[in-house]
Amino acid sequence: MENDWKSRLGVVYSTNPDFQYQTEGQREEETLPPAKQRLIVGIDRRNRGGKQVTLVSGFVGKAEDLKELGRVLKTKLGVGGSAKDGEITIQGDFRDKVVSILQQMGYVAKRGN
C-alpha cells in the first residue's frame, strides 16, 4: 500500500530520503442507534429495465451495519437485493412491508414516493 500512487496525486516530489507521505484515512461514521435513524423507503424504476426495486435510503453508519440491516430485510421478505453506497436495494415493490418491519425494529422510517 506504500506505493499507491493514486492517493498521492497532486503531491510535489520531495528530495528528502526520510520523507514519508501521510494519507488521511477515511473515517467511517459511527452507526446511530435505530431511534435516531431517519430512513426513507421509496421505489425506483430508473435504469433497471422496467423492473421495480424498493430503495431504503438515509442510513447513517458503518457499511457492515448497513449490510446486516439489508440481510435482515431480504430474509424477512424472502427476496434478493443489495446494500451498498448507503442504500439498501430490495427487488420488487415492498414499500409498506419494509416500513412496517423497520418500525418494528425501532427505526424511524417513512414511505417516500
Side-chain angles (χ1 to χ4, degrees):
M1 195 82 176
E2 286 184 32
N3 201 16
D4 185 18
W5 63 272
K6 288 184 181 179
S7 66
R8 294 180 289 166
L9 288 176
V11 175
V12 178
Y13 179 77
S14 174
T15 57
N16 182 356
D18 298 326
F19 179 75
Q20 292 291 324
Y21 182 73
Q22 302 290 327
T23 58
E24 282 187 28
Q26 288 186 354
R27 207 183 79 177
E28 285 192 55
E29 292 186 34
E30 199 61 35
T31 303
L32 293 176
K36 294 195 177 202
Q37 296 275 2
R38 305 272 183 243
L39 303 178
I40 298 174
V41 181
I43 194 163
D44 189 24
R45 294 181 190 92
R46 282 181 251 136
N47 300 327
R48 304 190 194 279
K51 308 283 185 191
Q52 297 178 344
V53 294
T54 303
L55 203 60
V56 181
S57 58
F59 185 84
V60 178
K62 297 182 180 177
E64 297 87 30
D65 297 332
L66 178 71
K67 289 185 183 209
E68 178 63 24
L69 180 60
R71 186 190 63 77
V72 169
L73 289 173
K74 292 186 297 183
T75 302
K76 288 191 177 193
L77 295 170
V79 295
S82 67
K84 58 186 173 186
D85 300 331
E87 294 182 334
I88 300 172
T89 305
I90 297 177
Q91 296 172 353
D93 185 4
F94 293 101
R95 289 177 286 184
D96 296 327
K97 290 181 182 179
V98 169
V99 169
S100 66
I101 290 170
L102 289 172
Q103 288 175 346
Q104 289 173 359
M105 294 173 70
Y107 288 92
V108 177
K110 70 176 188 177
R111 185 175 177 207
N113 61 350

